Amino acid sequence: MRKLLLAATLAILPLSLGAQELPRAAPTLGDTREFPDPKMVEGQPFEMRPPEKADDAPLFKEQTRAPYHHAADFQVTTLTDKLHLPWAIAFLSGGKMLVTEKFPGHLRIVNADGSFGEPLTGIDMLAPAKKLGLLDVALAPDFAKSRRIYFTFFALMADRNGNTNLASGILDEAAGAVHGVTVLFRGKPYESVKNFSSKQGGRIAFAKDGSIFLSMGDRDGNIKADYDLALAQKLDNHMGKVLHLTPEGLPASDNPFLKMPGALPEIWTYGMRNPQGLAFDPRTGHLWETEHGPRGGDELNRIDRGKNYGWPIITHGKDYGGGPIGEGIVAKPGLEQPQYYWDPVIAPSSLAFYRGTLFPKWKNSLFVGALRGLGIYRLEMKADKIVAEEPMLTDMKTRLRDVRVGPDGAVYVLTEQKALLKITPR
Ligand SMILES: [Ca+2]
């Protein structure tokens, strides 16, 4: 009986992790909140469960629980299920893709048919063997000419693993290598190795001018003794921030806190929790971010220069133990509201705006990958408000890590464990 129970617990685990990278406690078998069976009815919100935060209420009509809308039929093809903890995709020419594998920090070229060879060499110098963790990868805006790529990484060093770091190098596809790898930026401060897996942020978004936006998690960790909720509110560290850097990794010249004593010059916005989605809307040029909330209160934010996004002073969620975060308030003057939030959570892992012509009905859509939700979430946006929502890949019942729109207009998805999926019209 005991063995059976353990097996059942293990079977549930991949679906049951909270709005964070790793669980704080084992899930309870009786908790059916983890296994929603929503009724998808056109024009009606599909989320019928009560919010985690019982006294929560949206501050404007479109802020949560948008009506369900199915816009286009699609099919899903598994290109490969041989990857190991993939984290991010960047698109090369000829249907090829760069894919990062978080541990042990491999960067691979995956062909259009899903096949791939050995990991690229040249990045292993960033950390001792088996101590490298890779997160995002992005092509420089002038990649066609420069062949330059950027990526975020951790070095798993004893007792001081550091924060999220940004590096760059020159991709040599023929040699299967990245040449001249250089660390451009290291997040401050360095943190205990015990917090390695928790809340790193790590997403890269290139602006039109070639500058780099970089999301940084607040790294509050799994250990209460290290738990400092105020780090995201303090400007003397990079945690719980969106940063703005030059292509060389230096503070951008229009950053809001350059002249503020004690503030780190790379900071663009603050008061974020664990931002793992970061992308520009190609129609408006606005920068958007998704972040993991606590228990309840995952957020989609429009990122505006110098603003404070509130964590942990305001949140539409509550603490994992069920108590309030701080004063338990959801709004305060001077603190930004999310443009959209999820309560209960979906654990948003990534963010991509649709571009392309393969799915004309998705032209106003953005996609949010989810580690704890039903699949990926397609949102429809009008004038920076969310007006419709559609969970996709709901039958997969697996944690989804990255979602990207390819140059061919197909949507590509990484599962957290191993697979690369391609979504095309049906
Ligand atoms: Ca917030």
Side-chain angles (χ1 to χ4, degrees), residues 224-272:
K224 273 297 183 200
D226 290 345
Y227 198 56
D228 185 350
L229 283 171
L231 277 174
Q233 287 293 322
K234 294 175 184 165
L235 297 175
D236 62 355
N237 67 83
H238 290 127
M239 292 147 84
K241 311 292 188 307
V242 170
L243 309 179
H244 185 206
L245 307 171
T246 68
E248 295 77 33
L250 299 171
S253 60
D254 60 342
N255 283 356
F257 306 111
L258 289 176
K259 293 178 180 166
M260 183 182 288
L264 294 181
E266 296 87 359
I267 296 171
W268 183 255
T269 61
Y270 62 111
M272 353 289 303

mmCIF file of all heavy atoms in Angstrom, residues 224-272:
data_model
loop_
_atom_site.group_PDB
_atom_site.id
_atom_site.type_symbol
_atom_site.label_atom_id
_atom_site.label_comp_id
_atom_site.label_asym_id
_atom_site.label_seq_id
_atom_site.Cartn_x
_atom_site.Cartn_y
_atom_site.Cartn_z
ATOM 1 N N LYS A 224 14.199 29.604 4.376
ATOM 2 C CA LYS A 224 13.626 30.774 5.030
ATOM 3 C C LYS A 224 14.698 31.734 5.548
ATOM 4 O O LYS A 224 14.530 32.942 5.518
ATOM 5 C CB LYS A 224 12.733 30.348 6.204
ATOM 6 C CG LYS A 224 11.302 30.061 5.776
ATOM 7 C CD LYS A 224 10.596 31.293 5.223
ATOM 8 C CE LYS A 224 9.151 30.982 4.883
ATOM 9 N NZ LYS A 224 8.565 31.939 3.956
ATOM 10 N N ALA A 225 15.831 31.164 6.023
ATOM 11 C CA ALA A 225 16.868 32.022 6.586
ATOM 12 C C ALA A 225 17.407 32.998 5.544
ATOM 13 O O ALA A 225 17.862 34.089 5.872
ATOM 14 C CB ALA A 225 17.995 31.165 7.144
ATOM 15 N N ASP A 226 17.326 32.604 4.269
ATOM 16 C CA ASP A 226 17.834 33.468 3.207
ATOM 17 C C ASP A 226 16.745 34.338 2.591
ATOM 18 O O ASP A 226 16.984 35.070 1.643
ATOM 19 C CB ASP A 226 18.436 32.611 2.092
ATOM 20 C CG ASP A 226 19.714 31.957 2.528
ATOM 21 O OD1 ASP A 226 20.272 32.367 3.559
ATOM 22 O OD2 ASP A 226 20.137 31.022 1.855
ATOM 23 N N TYR A 227 15.564 34.206 3.095
ATOM 24 C CA TYR A 227 14.397 34.790 2.448
ATOM 25 C C TYR A 227 14.329 36.273 2.760
ATOM 26 O O TYR A 227 14.073 36.690 3.882
ATOM 27 C CB TYR A 227 13.165 34.054 2.975
ATOM 28 C CG TYR A 227 11.919 34.189 2.156
ATOM 29 C CD1 TYR A 227 11.895 33.854 0.817
ATOM 30 C CD2 TYR A 227 10.741 34.614 2.748
ATOM 31 C CE1 TYR A 227 10.727 33.933 0.085
ATOM 32 C CE2 TYR A 227 9.567 34.696 2.019
ATOM 33 C CZ TYR A 227 9.566 34.351 0.690
ATOM 34 O OH TYR A 227 8.412 34.439 -0.029
ATOM 35 N N ASP A 228 14.590 37.099 1.766
ATOM 36 C CA ASP A 228 14.534 38.538 1.982
ATOM 37 C C ASP A 228 13.598 39.127 0.928
ATOM 38 O O ASP A 228 13.984 39.448 -0.175
ATOM 39 C CB ASP A 228 15.923 39.148 1.857
ATOM 40 C CG ASP A 228 15.908 40.626 2.194
ATOM 41 O OD1 ASP A 228 14.803 41.196 2.323
ATOM 42 O OD2 ASP A 228 16.986 41.210 2.314
ATOM 43 N N LEU A 229 12.348 39.235 1.314
ATOM 44 C CA LEU A 229 11.324 39.661 0.361
ATOM 45 C C LEU A 229 11.576 41.056 -0.190
ATOM 46 O O LEU A 229 11.064 41.423 -1.226
ATOM 47 C CB LEU A 229 9.952 39.638 1.038
ATOM 48 C CG LEU A 229 9.315 38.270 1.204
ATOM 49 C CD1 LEU A 229 8.075 38.383 2.068
ATOM 50 C CD2 LEU A 229 8.952 37.679 -0.137
ATOM 51 N N ALA A 230 12.360 41.848 0.529
ATOM 52 C CA ALA A 230 12.509 43.240 0.118
ATOM 53 C C ALA A 230 13.551 43.426 -0.978
ATOM 54 O O ALA A 230 13.689 44.518 -1.508
ATOM 55 C CB ALA A 230 12.869 44.096 1.325
ATOM 56 N N LEU A 231 14.296 42.388 -1.329
ATOM 57 C CA LEU A 231 15.365 42.548 -2.320
ATOM 58 C C LEU A 231 14.839 43.140 -3.628
ATOM 59 O O LEU A 231 15.490 43.979 -4.246
ATOM 60 C CB LEU A 231 16.041 41.205 -2.607
ATOM 61 C CG LEU A 231 17.123 40.788 -1.618
ATOM 62 C CD1 LEU A 231 17.598 39.379 -1.950
ATOM 63 C CD2 LEU A 231 18.288 41.767 -1.650
ATOM 64 N N ALA A 232 13.648 42.716 -4.049
ATOM 65 C CA ALA A 232 13.093 43.222 -5.300
ATOM 66 C C ALA A 232 12.785 44.711 -5.221
ATOM 67 O O ALA A 232 12.718 45.390 -6.245
ATOM 68 C CB ALA A 232 11.831 42.441 -5.677
ATOM 69 N N GLN A 233 12.605 45.225 -4.001
ATOM 70 C CA GLN A 233 12.282 46.647 -3.823
ATOM 71 C C GLN A 233 13.530 47.509 -3.647
ATOM 72 O O GLN A 233 13.444 48.736 -3.708
ATOM 73 C CB GLN A 233 11.367 46.834 -2.611
ATOM 74 C CG GLN A 233 9.936 46.370 -2.851
ATOM 75 C CD GLN A 233 9.214 47.223 -3.882
ATOM 76 O OE1 GLN A 233 9.395 48.440 -3.922
ATOM 77 N NE2 GLN A 233 8.417 46.605 -4.734
ATOM 78 N N LYS A 234 14.666 46.887 -3.387
ATOM 79 C CA LYS A 234 15.906 47.648 -3.177
ATOM 80 C C LYS A 234 16.657 47.785 -4.498
ATOM 81 O O LYS A 234 16.763 46.825 -5.264
ATOM 82 C CB LYS A 234 16.793 46.947 -2.146
ATOM 83 C CG LYS A 234 16.192 46.918 -0.752
ATOM 84 C CD LYS A 234 17.083 46.107 0.181
ATOM 85 C CE LYS A 234 16.466 45.983 1.565
ATOM 86 N NZ LYS A 234 17.123 44.917 2.363
ATOM 87 N N LEU A 235 17.213 48.944 -4.723
ATOM 88 C CA LEU A 235 17.894 49.208 -5.994
ATOM 89 C C LEU A 235 19.396 48.930 -5.931
ATOM 90 O O LEU A 235 20.115 49.200 -6.892
ATOM 91 C CB LEU A 235 17.643 50.663 -6.417
ATOM 92 C CG LEU A 235 16.169 50.998 -6.702
ATOM 93 C CD1 LEU A 235 16.003 52.490 -6.999
ATOM 94 C CD2 LEU A 235 15.626 50.163 -7.849
ATOM 95 N N ASP A 236 19.864 48.360 -4.790
ATOM 96 C CA ASP A 236 21.296 48.076 -4.655
ATOM 97 C C ASP A 236 21.648 46.664 -5.098
ATOM 98 O O ASP A 236 22.735 46.162 -4.825
ATOM 99 C CB ASP A 236 21.741 48.296 -3.202
ATOM 100 C CG ASP A 236 21.027 47.352 -2.243
ATOM 101 O OD1 ASP A 236 20.117 46.591 -2.671
ATOM 102 O OD2 ASP A 236 21.375 47.367 -1.045
ATOM 103 N N ASN A 237 20.700 45.967 -5.735
ATOM 104 C CA ASN A 237 20.965 44.608 -6.227
ATOM 105 C C ASN A 237 20.182 44.409 -7.520
ATOM 106 O O ASN A 237 19.332 45.231 -7.888
ATOM 107 C CB ASN A 237 20.564 43.573 -5.170
ATOM 108 C CG ASN A 237 19.054 43.558 -4.967
ATOM 109 O OD1 ASN A 237 18.332 42.919 -5.726
ATOM 110 N ND2 ASN A 237 18.555 44.282 -3.968
ATOM 111 N N HIS A 238 20.489 43.303 -8.220
ATOM 112 C CA HIS A 238 19.846 43.042 -9.518
ATOM 113 C C HIS A 238 18.657 42.088 -9.413
ATOM 114 O O HIS A 238 18.123 41.648 -10.432
ATOM 115 C CB HIS A 238 20.867 42.453 -10.492
ATOM 116 C CG HIS A 238 21.911 43.419 -10.926
ATOM 117 N ND1 HIS A 238 23.258 43.148 -10.822
ATOM 118 C CD2 HIS A 238 21.833 44.663 -11.446
ATOM 119 C CE1 HIS A 238 23.958 44.182 -11.274
ATOM 120 N NE2 HIS A 238 23.116 45.109 -11.653
ATOM 121 N N MET A 239 18.265 41.738 -8.208
ATOM 122 C CA MET A 239 17.261 40.693 -8.051
ATOM 123 C C MET A 239 15.843 41.272 -8.095
ATOM 124 O O MET A 239 15.558 42.315 -7.506
ATOM 125 C CB MET A 239 17.527 39.942 -6.759
ATOM 126 C CG MET A 239 18.816 39.141 -6.879
ATOM 127 S SD MET A 239 19.703 38.995 -5.361
ATOM 128 C CE MET A 239 18.845 37.618 -4.648
ATOM 129 N N GLY A 240 14.963 40.546 -8.826
ATOM 130 C CA GLY A 240 13.597 41.040 -8.978
ATOM 131 C C GLY A 240 13.538 42.289 -9.837
ATOM 132 O O GLY A 240 12.798 43.222 -9.528
ATOM 133 N N LYS A 241 14.317 42.300 -10.932
ATOM 134 C CA LYS A 241 14.424 43.496 -11.776
ATOM 135 C C LYS A 241 14.290 43.116 -13.260
ATOM 136 O O LYS A 241 14.499 41.966 -13.645
ATOM 137 C CB LYS A 241 15.810 44.157 -11.602
ATOM 138 C CG LYS A 241 16.262 44.385 -10.162
ATOM 139 C CD LYS A 241 15.434 45.437 -9.460
ATOM 140 C CE LYS A 241 15.964 45.842 -8.084
ATOM 141 N NZ LYS A 241 16.215 44.774 -7.138
ATOM 142 N N VAL A 242 14.008 44.122 -14.080
ATOM 143 C CA VAL A 242 14.319 44.036 -15.509
ATOM 144 C C VAL A 242 15.455 45.014 -15.744
ATOM 145 O O VAL A 242 15.388 46.180 -15.314
ATOM 146 C CB VAL A 242 13.105 44.371 -16.397
ATOM 147 C CG1 VAL A 242 13.516 44.504 -17.856
ATOM 148 C CG2 VAL A 242 12.035 43.279 -16.256
ATOM 149 N N LEU A 243 16.517 44.533 -16.373
ATOM 150 C CA LEU A 243 17.711 45.345 -16.612
ATOM 151 C C LEU A 243 17.754 45.786 -18.076
ATOM 152 O O LEU A 243 17.135 45.165 -18.945
ATOM 153 C CB LEU A 243 18.972 44.535 -16.287
ATOM 154 C CG LEU A 243 18.994 43.849 -14.923
ATOM 155 C CD1 LEU A 243 20.286 43.058 -14.742
ATOM 156 C CD2 LEU A 243 18.815 44.854 -13.792
ATOM 157 N N HIS A 244 18.493 46.839 -18.325
ATOM 158 C CA HIS A 244 18.643 47.340 -19.695
ATOM 159 C C HIS A 244 20.129 47.582 -19.947
ATOM 160 O O HIS A 244 20.758 48.396 -19.259
ATOM 161 C CB HIS A 244 17.846 48.645 -19.855
ATOM 162 C CG HIS A 244 17.831 49.171 -21.257
ATOM 163 N ND1 HIS A 244 17.653 50.504 -21.561
ATOM 164 C CD2 HIS A 244 17.954 48.540 -22.450
ATOM 165 C CE1 HIS A 244 17.673 50.662 -22.868
ATOM 166 N NE2 HIS A 244 17.849 49.496 -23.436
ATOM 167 N N LEU A 245 20.671 46.852 -20.922
ATOM 168 C CA LEU A 245 22.120 46.824 -21.146
ATOM 169 C C LEU A 245 22.446 47.160 -22.595
ATOM 170 O O LEU A 245 21.637 46.938 -23.500
ATOM 171 C CB LEU A 245 22.668 45.418 -20.840
ATOM 172 C CG LEU A 245 22.327 44.823 -19.480
ATOM 173 C CD1 LEU A 245 22.751 43.358 -19.425
ATOM 174 C CD2 LEU A 245 22.997 45.618 -18.359
ATOM 175 N N THR A 246 23.653 47.651 -22.799
ATOM 176 C CA THR A 246 24.162 47.804 -24.159
ATOM 177 C C THR A 246 24.567 46.428 -24.688
ATOM 178 O O THR A 246 24.680 45.469 -23.918
ATOM 179 C CB THR A 246 25.407 48.706 -24.183
ATOM 180 O OG1 THR A 246 26.469 47.993 -23.519
ATOM 181 C CG2 THR A 246 25.160 50.030 -23.469
ATOM 182 N N PRO A 247 24.800 46.293 -25.989
ATOM 183 C CA PRO A 247 25.266 44.999 -26.511
ATOM 184 C C PRO A 247 26.577 44.539 -25.861
ATOM 185 O O PRO A 247 26.911 43.360 -25.914
ATOM 186 C CB PRO A 247 25.471 45.280 -28.007
ATOM 187 C CG PRO A 247 24.548 46.414 -28.304
ATOM 188 C CD PRO A 247 24.554 47.269 -27.068
ATOM 189 N N GLU A 248 27.289 45.459 -25.239
ATOM 190 C CA GLU A 248 28.537 45.094 -24.551
ATOM 191 C C GLU A 248 28.292 44.722 -23.093
ATOM 192 O O GLU A 248 29.233 44.417 -22.353
ATOM 193 C CB GLU A 248 29.534 46.253 -24.616
ATOM 194 C CG GLU A 248 30.011 46.590 -26.025
ATOM 195 C CD GLU A 248 28.969 47.366 -26.838
ATOM 196 O OE1 GLU A 248 28.214 48.164 -26.238
ATOM 197 O OE2 GLU A 248 28.888 47.147 -28.065
ATOM 198 N N GLY A 249 27.034 44.792 -22.641
ATOM 199 C CA GLY A 249 26.716 44.407 -21.263
ATOM 200 C C GLY A 249 26.832 45.537 -20.254
ATOM 201 O O GLY A 249 26.785 45.303 -19.050
ATOM 202 N N LEU A 250 26.952 46.777 -20.745
ATOM 203 C CA LEU A 250 27.059 47.932 -19.852
ATOM 204 C C LEU A 250 25.678 48.557 -19.653
ATOM 205 O O LEU A 250 24.759 48.305 -20.429
ATOM 206 C CB LEU A 250 28.032 48.955 -20.456
ATOM 207 C CG LEU A 250 29.450 48.432 -20.661
ATOM 208 C CD1 LEU A 250 30.281 49.426 -21.470
ATOM 209 C CD2 LEU A 250 30.104 48.130 -19.311
ATOM 210 N N PRO A 251 25.525 49.403 -18.620
ATOM 211 C CA PRO A 251 24.231 50.059 -18.426
ATOM 212 C C PRO A 251 23.866 50.902 -19.652
ATOM 213 O O PRO A 251 24.716 51.635 -20.185
ATOM 214 C CB PRO A 251 24.471 50.959 -17.211
ATOM 215 C CG PRO A 251 25.661 50.372 -16.521
ATOM 216 C CD PRO A 251 26.509 49.764 -17.589
ATOM 217 N N ALA A 252 22.617 50.809 -20.108
ATOM 218 C CA ALA A 252 22.178 51.632 -21.244
ATOM 219 C C ALA A 252 22.083 53.090 -20.809
ATOM 220 O O ALA A 252 21.811 53.387 -19.641
ATOM 221 C CB ALA A 252 20.837 51.131 -21.764
ATOM 222 N N SER A 253 22.301 53.990 -21.760
ATOM 223 C CA SER A 253 22.465 55.405 -21.411
ATOM 224 C C SER A 253 21.156 56.077 -20.999
ATOM 225 O O SER A 253 21.173 57.163 -20.426
ATOM 226 C CB SER A 253 23.076 56.160 -22.588
ATOM 227 O OG SER A 253 22.228 56.044 -23.721
ATOM 228 N N ASP A 254 20.007 55.440 -21.291
ATOM 229 C CA ASP A 254 18.729 56.051 -20.895
ATOM 230 C C ASP A 254 18.129 55.401 -19.653
ATOM 231 O O ASP A 254 16.937 55.560 -19.378
ATOM 232 C CB ASP A 254 17.732 55.974 -22.055
ATOM 233 C CG ASP A 254 17.445 54.537 -22.487
ATOM 234 O OD1 ASP A 254 18.241 53.636 -22.143
ATOM 235 O OD2 ASP A 254 16.430 54.308 -23.170
ATOM 236 N N ASN A 255 18.932 54.654 -18.909
ATOM 237 C CA ASN A 255 18.397 53.982 -17.724
ATOM 238 C C ASN A 255 17.984 54.993 -16.654
ATOM 239 O O ASN A 255 18.608 56.045 -16.500
ATOM 240 C CB ASN A 255 19.429 52.994 -17.171
ATOM 241 C CG ASN A 255 19.484 51.721 -17.995
ATOM 242 O OD1 ASN A 255 18.699 51.555 -18.932
ATOM 243 N ND2 ASN A 255 20.393 50.831 -17.660
ATOM 244 N N PRO A 256 16.920 54.662 -15.894
ATOM 245 C CA PRO A 256 16.298 55.674 -15.021
ATOM 246 C C PRO A 256 17.061 55.978 -13.728
ATOM 247 O O PRO A 256 16.829 57.027 -13.135
ATOM 248 C CB PRO A 256 14.931 55.057 -14.701
ATOM 249 C CG PRO A 256 15.114 53.587 -14.895
ATOM 250 C CD PRO A 256 16.124 53.431 -15.980
ATOM 251 N N PHE A 257 17.941 55.098 -13.289
ATOM 252 C CA PHE A 257 18.556 55.298 -11.971
ATOM 253 C C PHE A 257 20.060 55.563 -12.064
ATOM 254 O O PHE A 257 20.793 55.357 -11.102
ATOM 255 C CB PHE A 257 18.273 54.091 -11.070
ATOM 256 C CG PHE A 257 16.800 53.784 -10.971
ATOM 257 C CD1 PHE A 257 16.277 52.629 -11.540
ATOM 258 C CD2 PHE A 257 15.927 54.669 -10.345
ATOM 259 C CE1 PHE A 257 14.918 52.351 -11.465
ATOM 260 C CE2 PHE A 257 14.564 54.406 -10.256
ATOM 261 C CZ PHE A 257 14.058 53.241 -10.827
ATOM 262 N N LEU A 258 20.504 56.020 -13.218
ATOM 263 C CA LEU A 258 21.946 56.220 -13.421
ATOM 264 C C LEU A 258 22.536 57.187 -12.402
ATOM 265 O O LEU A 258 23.675 57.030 -11.969
ATOM 266 C CB LEU A 258 22.204 56.760 -14.834
ATOM 267 C CG LEU A 258 21.976 55.778 -15.990
ATOM 268 C CD1 LEU A 258 22.185 56.490 -17.322
ATOM 269 C CD2 LEU A 258 22.890 54.566 -15.864
ATOM 270 N N LYS A 259 21.754 58.205 -12.026
ATOM 271 C CA LYS A 259 22.298 59.241 -11.144
ATOM 272 C C LYS A 259 21.846 59.098 -9.703
ATOM 273 O O LYS A 259 22.104 59.981 -8.890
ATOM 274 C CB LYS A 259 21.900 60.615 -11.685
ATOM 275 C CG LYS A 259 22.569 60.924 -13.008
ATOM 276 C CD LYS A 259 22.146 62.258 -13.571
ATOM 277 C CE LYS A 259 22.864 62.512 -14.901
ATOM 278 N NZ LYS A 259 22.253 63.618 -15.646
ATOM 279 N N MET A 260 21.157 58.011 -9.399
ATOM 280 C CA MET A 260 20.681 57.834 -8.026
ATOM 281 C C MET A 260 21.771 57.161 -7.193
ATOM 282 O O MET A 260 22.202 56.053 -7.525
ATOM 283 C CB MET A 260 19.404 56.992 -8.004
ATOM 284 C CG MET A 260 18.827 56.833 -6.601
ATOM 285 S SD MET A 260 17.342 55.797 -6.591
ATOM 286 C CE MET A 260 16.179 56.906 -7.356
ATOM 287 N N PRO A 261 22.222 57.830 -6.100
ATOM 288 C CA PRO A 261 23.273 57.219 -5.278
ATOM 289 C C PRO A 261 22.828 55.871 -4.713
ATOM 290 O O PRO A 261 21.702 55.741 -4.239
ATOM 291 C CB PRO A 261 23.457 58.241 -4.140
ATOM 292 C CG PRO A 261 22.913 59.528 -4.662
ATOM 293 C CD PRO A 261 21.812 59.148 -5.616
ATOM 294 N N GLY A 262 23.698 54.878 -4.807
ATOM 295 C CA GLY A 262 23.409 53.563 -4.243
ATOM 296 C C GLY A 262 22.620 52.645 -5.157
ATOM 297 O O GLY A 262 22.475 51.459 -4.870
ATOM 298 N N ALA A 263 22.075 53.180 -6.240
ATOM 299 C CA ALA A 263 21.284 52.346 -7.156
ATOM 300 C C ALA A 263 22.200 51.757 -8.224
ATOM 301 O O ALA A 263 23.114 52.427 -8.712
ATOM 302 C CB ALA A 263 20.181 53.172 -7.807
ATOM 303 N N LEU A 264 21.938 50.510 -8.613
ATOM 304 C CA LEU A 264 22.720 49.892 -9.680
ATOM 305 C C LEU A 264 22.253 50.433 -11.026
ATOM 306 O O LEU A 264 21.047 50.524 -11.293
ATOM 307 C CB LEU A 264 22.589 48.367 -9.625
ATOM 308 C CG LEU A 264 23.212 47.728 -8.369
ATOM 309 C CD1 LEU A 264 23.049 46.210 -8.411
ATOM 310 C CD2 LEU A 264 24.682 48.094 -8.237
ATOM 311 N N PRO A 265 23.200 50.824 -11.870
ATOM 312 C CA PRO A 265 22.849 51.569 -13.098
ATOM 313 C C PRO A 265 22.170 50.736 -14.172
ATOM 314 O O PRO A 265 21.601 51.288 -15.110
ATOM 315 C CB PRO A 265 24.215 52.078 -13.579
ATOM 316 C CG PRO A 265 25.209 51.110 -13.021
ATOM 317 C CD PRO A 265 24.663 50.679 -11.698
ATOM 318 N N GLU A 266 22.213 49.394 -14.036
ATOM 319 C CA GLU A 266 21.614 48.541 -15.075
ATOM 320 C C GLU A 266 20.092 48.447 -14.946
ATOM 321 O O GLU A 266 19.408 47.955 -15.846
ATOM 322 C CB GLU A 266 22.199 47.118 -14.997
ATOM 323 C CG GLU A 266 23.688 47.020 -15.280
ATOM 324 C CD GLU A 266 24.528 47.242 -14.018
ATOM 325 O OE1 GLU A 266 23.952 47.486 -12.932
ATOM 326 O OE2 GLU A 266 25.772 47.167 -14.138
ATOM 327 N N ILE A 267 19.542 48.909 -13.817
ATOM 328 C CA ILE A 267 18.118 48.662 -13.532
ATOM 329 C C ILE A 267 17.212 49.519 -14.418
ATOM 330 O O ILE A 267 17.410 50.727 -14.545
ATOM 331 C CB ILE A 267 17.817 48.922 -12.037
ATOM 332 C CG1 ILE A 267 18.594 47.920 -11.178
ATOM 333 C CG2 ILE A 267 16.307 48.824 -11.762
ATOM 334 C CD1 ILE A 267 18.539 48.215 -9.694
ATOM 335 N N TRP A 268 16.207 48.857 -15.004
ATOM 336 C CA TRP A 268 15.179 49.526 -15.824
ATOM 337 C C TRP A 268 13.854 49.591 -15.055
ATOM 338 O O TRP A 268 13.220 50.623 -14.969
ATOM 339 C CB TRP A 268 15.003 48.764 -17.133
ATOM 340 C CG TRP A 268 14.042 49.364 -18.117
ATOM 341 C CD1 TRP A 268 12.775 48.920 -18.411
ATOM 342 C CD2 TRP A 268 14.260 50.502 -18.962
ATOM 343 N NE1 TRP A 268 12.200 49.709 -19.375
ATOM 344 C CE2 TRP A 268 13.091 50.688 -19.734
ATOM 345 C CE3 TRP A 268 15.333 51.381 -19.140
ATOM 346 C CZ2 TRP A 268 12.959 51.720 -20.667
ATOM 347 C CZ3 TRP A 268 15.210 52.412 -20.074
ATOM 348 C CH2 TRP A 268 14.030 52.574 -20.818
ATOM 349 N N THR A 269 13.436 48.438 -14.478
ATOM 350 C CA THR A 269 12.255 48.393 -13.606
ATOM 351 C C THR A 269 12.550 47.483 -12.426
ATOM 352 O O THR A 269 13.472 46.669 -12.470
ATOM 353 C CB THR A 269 11.015 47.844 -14.347
ATOM 354 O OG1 THR A 269 11.302 46.506 -14.774
ATOM 355 C CG2 THR A 269 10.656 48.701 -15.541
ATOM 356 N N TYR A 270 11.733 47.594 -11.369
ATOM 357 C CA TYR A 270 11.962 46.774 -10.184
ATOM 358 C C TYR A 270 10.634 46.330 -9.577
ATOM 359 O O TYR A 270 9.564 46.661 -10.079
ATOM 360 C CB TYR A 270 12.842 47.514 -9.184
ATOM 361 C CG TYR A 270 12.286 48.811 -8.629
ATOM 362 C CD1 TYR A 270 11.906 48.913 -7.294
ATOM 363 C CD2 TYR A 270 12.151 49.945 -9.430
ATOM 364 C CE1 TYR A 270 11.421 50.109 -6.757
ATOM 365 C CE2 TYR A 270 11.656 51.132 -8.913
ATOM 366 C CZ TYR A 270 11.288 51.211 -7.586
ATOM 367 O OH TYR A 270 10.796 52.386 -7.072
ATOM 368 N N GLY A 271 10.765 45.533 -8.486
ATOM 369 C CA GLY A 271 9.554 45.004 -7.849
ATOM 370 C C GLY A 271 8.950 43.827 -8.594
ATOM 371 O O GLY A 271 7.759 43.584 -8.543
ATOM 372 N N MET A 272 9.830 43.048 -9.317
ATOM 373 C CA MET A 272 9.347 41.840 -9.970
ATOM 374 C C MET A 272 9.686 40.642 -9.066
ATOM 375 O O MET A 272 10.531 40.722 -8.190
ATOM 376 C CB MET A 272 9.963 41.600 -11.349
ATOM 377 C CG MET A 272 10.856 42.692 -11.929
ATOM 378 S SD MET A 272 10.040 44.204 -12.452
ATOM 379 C CE MET A 272 8.871 43.592 -13.614
#
